[in-house]
């Protein structure tokens, strides 16, 4: 499914939190339709890198282009980039005062200016797609963790993004719910969505990831296909880390 | 103050400085609220209809002040919520100047007694521009309570998990849209008990307006005493009237809070 078009172009990105260097000159190109999995120990900067792509973290230096549009500088249109970039969080971040349908409809109505009926029709399709066609009236408090995360994915998809960012989407889930979320992500990958996923789910990596990136101490240590990284890591830091999680 | 943790359940901010709202645990037939209200109403009725003289006469005189008491309270409720909301948002704004303005307002107003503010606005500022008693009272109460409510709204906004704003921004909403559609609706639910307490306190503090010659319940009572010298009888009745109003209002606030909660689940 990969094309040659670069969808996300991360160039020499640096991020300091005070004296802590969270990202040191990271560069990474993600092609249209590519699924990239970022792994690494906690504090390695993988979430910071992901959150930089839609500027939830502001960079110390460097530049990121999303579908050719710059993220930083006078020409940057951050809202346009955020509209085109879906994000799924570890803690779901569904809006607790809105039901599942309204969670999904809000941004299309307020940002894309769709009419309520069109937005709802789309939202219902998306809910069906993530297997929750019968829960449109449920409030987040009435849903299980796996269901919440599936609604959150549907909410992002409602904006018809060009790129989806997943920030440890299954880390807050009970084991029996991880699969239902991963299945939705696998479908998405099959349909050709460009995806950047911070996660340690090996099964997902082997089934869907075109590339696996290993980060440590704010830099990319090694990247390759899932077989290369998981079965034949070259760097010692990668081997050491894999020993911990396997 | 609510504690901040990362989960989605909104917490309730408990700041009480007025009548305690009836708690949800109390579901027995005789609870403290019902008992107090019954005593107050029975006392009032007994005085007015059984003892009659002089209470029915006093009641007829002082109750004429009720519309003014309610009017000033209601006006000040709107004014203070408006001011409080903007102060609360100002305190967490990303613009330093807004933070300073709302911060100074809160510090300044909270450090001056309401009675002093009321007299200052009516008499001192009256030298520069003529203010009628009722607008002066509503403005003074609004400014004073707006500062306290600003703190409540600020705490309420800060109690919403950071992920809510992030999710809204990530979807392409502006900060203002996120505030309006995501943060504030959740904040309102959290602050209702605390804000409701402020309403009750305002109803009681509206009695201070009697010092600027507004003929509220208390003022009419004082006038009646100066005519008849029935101080014990008059002030007992005035106290009971305030008590009944306050208890009823506290029930209304509790019901509002209940409705909000039910909607959530």
């Amino acid at each position: 499914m990969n094309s040659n078009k670069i969808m996300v172009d991360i160039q020499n990105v640096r991020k300091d939190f005070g004296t802590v260097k969270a990202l040191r000159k990271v560069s990474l190109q993600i092609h249209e339709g590519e699924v990239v999995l970022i792994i690494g120990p906690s504090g390695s900067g993988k979430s910071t890198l992901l959150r930089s792509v839609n500027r939830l973290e502001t960079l110390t230096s460097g530049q990121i282009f999303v579908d050719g549009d710059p993220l930083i500088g006078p020409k940057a249109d951050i809202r346009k980039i955020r509209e085109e970039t879906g994000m799924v969080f570890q803690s779901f971040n569904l809006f607790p005062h809105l039901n599942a349908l309204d969670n999904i409809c809000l941004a299309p109505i307020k940002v894309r200016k769709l009419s309520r009926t069109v937005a709802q029709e789309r939202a219902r399709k998306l809910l069906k797609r993530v297997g929750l066609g019968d829960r449109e009236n449920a409030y987040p408090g009435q849903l299980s963790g796996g269901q919440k995360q599936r609604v959150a994915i549907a909410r992002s998809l409602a904006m018809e993004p060009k790129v989806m960012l997943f920030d440890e989407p299954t880390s807050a889930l009970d084991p029996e719910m991880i699969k239902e979320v991963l299945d939705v992500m696998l479908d998405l990958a099959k349909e050709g969505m460009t995806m950047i996923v911070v996660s340690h789910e090996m099964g997902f990596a082997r089934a869907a990831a075109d590339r696996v990136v290993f980060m440590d101490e704010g830099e990319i240590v090694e990247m390759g296909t899932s077989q290369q990284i998981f079965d034949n890591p070259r760097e010692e830091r990668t081997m050491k880390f894999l020993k911990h999680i396997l | 103050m609510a504690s901040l943790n990362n989960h989605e359940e909104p917490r309730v901010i408990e700041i009480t400085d007025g009548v305690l709202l009836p708690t949800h645990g109390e579901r027995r037939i005789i609870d403290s609220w019902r008992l107090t209200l019954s005593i107050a109403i029975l006392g009032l009725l007994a005085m007015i209809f059984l003892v009659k003289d002089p209470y029915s006469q006093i009641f007829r005189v002082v109750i004429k002040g009720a519309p003014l008491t309610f009017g000033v309270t209601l006006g000040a409720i709107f004014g203070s919520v408006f001011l409080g909301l903007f102060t609360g948002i100002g305190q967490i704004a990303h613009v330093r100047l807004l933070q300073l303005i709302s911060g100074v307002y809160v510090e300044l107003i909270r450090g001056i007694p309401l009675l002093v503010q009321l007299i200052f606005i009516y008499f001192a500022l009256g030298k520069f521009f003529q203010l009628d008693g009722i607008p002066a009272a509503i403005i003074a109460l609004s400014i004073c309570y707006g500062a306290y409510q600003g703190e409540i709204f600020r705490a309420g906004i800060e109690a919403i998990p950071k992920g809510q704003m992030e999710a809204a921004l990530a979807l392409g909403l502006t900060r203002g849209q996120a505030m309006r559609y995501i943060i504030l609706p959740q904040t309102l639910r959290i602050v209702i008990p605390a804000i409701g307490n402020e309403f009750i306190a305002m109803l009681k503090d509206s009695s201070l307006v009697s010092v600027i010659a507004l003929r509220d319940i208390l003022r009419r009572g004082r006038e009646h005493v100066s005519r008849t010298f029935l101080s014990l009888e008059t002030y007992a009745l005035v106290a009971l009237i305030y008590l009944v109003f306050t208890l009823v209002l506290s029930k209304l606030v509790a019901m509002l809070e209940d409705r909000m909660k039910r909607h959530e689940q």
Side-chain angles (χ1 to χ4, degrees):
Chain A
M1 292 291 286
N2 290 5
S3 73
N4 281 326
K5 185 177 164 195
I6 292 176
M7 183 55 86
V8 179
D9 191 355
I10 301 172
Q11 297 179 349
N12 295 322
V13 156
R14 276 185 43 211
K15 168 77 183 176
D16 301 338
F17 289 109
T19 55
V20 181
K21 295 191 176 0
L23 294 174
R24 320 168 183 242
K25 286 227 167 193
V26 176
S27 293
L28 181 65
Q29 279 77 43
I30 291 121
H31 291 86
E32 190 176 23
E34 197 180 11
V35 177
V36 173
L37 193 84
I38 305 178
I39 61 172
S42 73
S44 60
K46 52 195 193 310
S47 280
T48 310
L49 182 66
L50 191 78
R51 290 161 53 85
S52 302
V53 175
N54 64 355
R55 224 164 85 184
L56 287 184
E57 301 288 354
T58 47
L59 296 170
T60 307
S61 68
Q63 177 64 290
I64 299 178
F65 294 92
V66 178
D67 198 19
D69 297 323
L71 192 71
I72 297 153
K75 281 190 189 156
D77 182 353
I78 185 60
R79 280 194 66 192
K80 179 164 178 264
I81 289 180
R82 282 175 175 159
E83 281 173 44
E84 293 173 349
T85 331
M87 187 164 213
V88 175
F89 300 86
Q90 178 180 352
S91 50
F92 327 124
N93 296 347
L94 287 182
F95 307 132
H97 60 301
L98 301 176
N99 65 24
L101 196 71
D102 290 335
N103 258 281
I104 300 171
C105 287
L106 183 84
I109 293 172
K110 301 299 175 197
V111 181
R112 289 254 195 262
K113 310 286 177 208
L114 293 187
S115 74
R116 180 161 285 278
T117 35
V118 173
Q120 283 184 340
E121 203 175 299
R122 271 210 217 165
R124 288 200 178 95
K125 270 189 203 144
L126 284 166
L127 275 173
K128 232 176 249 160
R129 184 165 152 196
V130 299
L132 292 169
D134 54 340
R135 301 308 305 271
E136 64 172 68
N137 292 319
Y139 283 86
Q142 301 164 318
L143 297 171
S144 72
Q147 290 172 329
K148 280 186 206 171
Q149 195 60 299
R150 285 186 282 156
V151 173
I153 293 173
R155 180 176 69 177
S156 292
L157 292 176
M159 291 298 283
E160 302 185 316
K162 296 175 179 168
V163 190
M164 285 285 284
L165 311 172
F166 292 85
D167 191 3
E168 309 209 24
T170 55
S171 304
L173 295 177
D174 292 333
E176 72 268 24
M177 292 170 182
I178 291 177
K179 188 175 176 298
E180 63 189 55
V181 172
L182 288 182
D183 284 346
V184 171
M185 290 170 61
L186 279 173
D187 281 344
L188 214 52
K190 266 186 217 143
E191 286 162 30
M193 177 64 78
T194 311
M195 294 163 69
I196 311 178
V197 184
V198 170
S199 170
H200 294 152
E201 293 294 336
M202 296 293 170
F204 177 79
R206 288 187 191 276
D210 299 298
R211 256 193 301 168
V212 175
V213 175
F214 173 68
M215 286 184 71
D216 192 19
E217 292 180 350
E219 52 194 12
I220 294 177
V221 177
E222 182 172 5
M223 61 180 148
T225 63
S226 51
Q227 276 136 331
Q228 277 168 2
I229 298 293
F230 295 140
D231 303 337
N232 290 308
R234 276 168 296 165
E235 300 287 330
E236 198 164 323
R237 278 195 274 179
T238 319
M239 290 178 219
K240 220 172 130 194
F241 172 72
L242 288 172
K243 238 181 249 162
H244 281 296
I245 62 163
L246 286 178
Chain B
M1 265 291 299
S3 64
L4 288 168
N5 59 36
N6 256 335
H7 284 286
E8 287 178 32
E9 307 306 320
R11 293 142 307 265
V12 164
I13 296 179
E14 305 280 5
I15 301 173
T16 57
D17 60 354
V19 173
L20 278 175
L21 300 183
T23 49
H24 301 280
E26 291 190 55
R27 282 280 183 266
R28 280 162 292 184
I29 295 187
I30 298 178
D31 60 27
S32 51
W33 178 82
R34 282 183 186 163
L35 193 61
T36 321
L37 184 65
S38 315
I39 292 171
I41 288 181
L42 285 178
L44 260 183
L45 292 177
M47 284 159 127
I48 297 165
F49 294 108
L50 296 180
V51 188
K52 273 185 181 165
D53 191 53
Y55 293 107
S56 54
Q57 164 72 13
I58 299 173
F59 182 77
R60 273 199 301 275
V61 170
V62 297
I63 202 68
K64 281 189 198 134
L68 194 128
T69 292
F70 284 124
V72 167
T73 306
L74 201 66
I77 282 177
F78 283 113
S80 63
V81 167
F82 184 79
L83 268 175
L85 194 56
F86 280 94
T87 310
I89 294 173
Q91 298 229 62
I92 51 126
H94 285 219
V95 185
R96 182 88 186 107
L97 184 67
L98 286 180
Q99 277 181 29
L100 277 177
I101 292 174
S102 26
V104 167
Y105 163 61
V106 169
E107 295 301 333
L108 187 78
I109 295 303
R110 290 203 309 181
I112 302 172
L114 173 57
L115 187 55
V116 176
Q117 288 177 41
L118 191 64
I119 290 175
F120 180 80
I121 286 180
Y122 185 65
F123 292 107
L125 290 186
K127 288 201 164 180
F128 303 106
F129 43 88
Q130 203 52 52
L131 259 184
D132 277 348
I134 291 178
I138 291 177
I139 290 171
L141 274 167
S142 298
I143 290 179
C144 177
Y145 274 89
Y148 290 95
Q149 289 183 18
E151 283 296 281
I152 296 172
F153 278 111
R154 182 190 56 75
I157 293 169
E158 284 177 342
I160 307 296
K162 232 179 95 200
Q164 291 289 312
M165 179 56 99
E166 288 188 347
L169 292 179
L171 285 166
L173 273 74
T174 61
R175 232 164 225 290
Q177 284 177 321
M179 234 0 179
R180 180 163 160 211
Y181 301 114
I182 307 301
I183 307 297
L184 288 182
Q186 295 182 58
T187 304
L188 280 187
R189 250 173 244 187
I190 304 181
V191 300
I192 284 259
I195 294 288
N197 258 316
E198 296 291 297
F199 293 171
I200 296 160
M202 280 160 97
L203 178 68
K204 292 185 294 177
D205 279 352
S206 74
S207 61
L208 291 174
V209 305
S210 58
V211 300
I212 58 170
L214 283 184
R215 302 183 72 198
D216 71 333
I217 296 173
L218 179 58
R219 178 80 183 191
R220 296 210 184 235
R222 280 166 65 189
E223 288 169 2
H224 194 69
V225 170
S226 63
R227 283 192 300 269
T228 62
F229 303 106
L230 293 167
S231 52
L232 175 65
E233 294 84 345
T234 309
Y235 290 136
L237 205 72
V238 166
L240 279 177
I241 290 173
Y242 272 112
L243 183 58
V244 170
F245 286 164
T246 315
L247 287 169
V248 170
L249 184 59
S250 73
K251 191 65 172 181
L252 289 178
V253 171
M255 279 161 65
L256 186 65
E257 191 189 339
D258 246 4
R259 259 184 72 158
M260 291 290 212
K261 280 227 176 88
R262 213 178 321 132
H263 180 60
E264 209 162 274
Q265 287 315 314

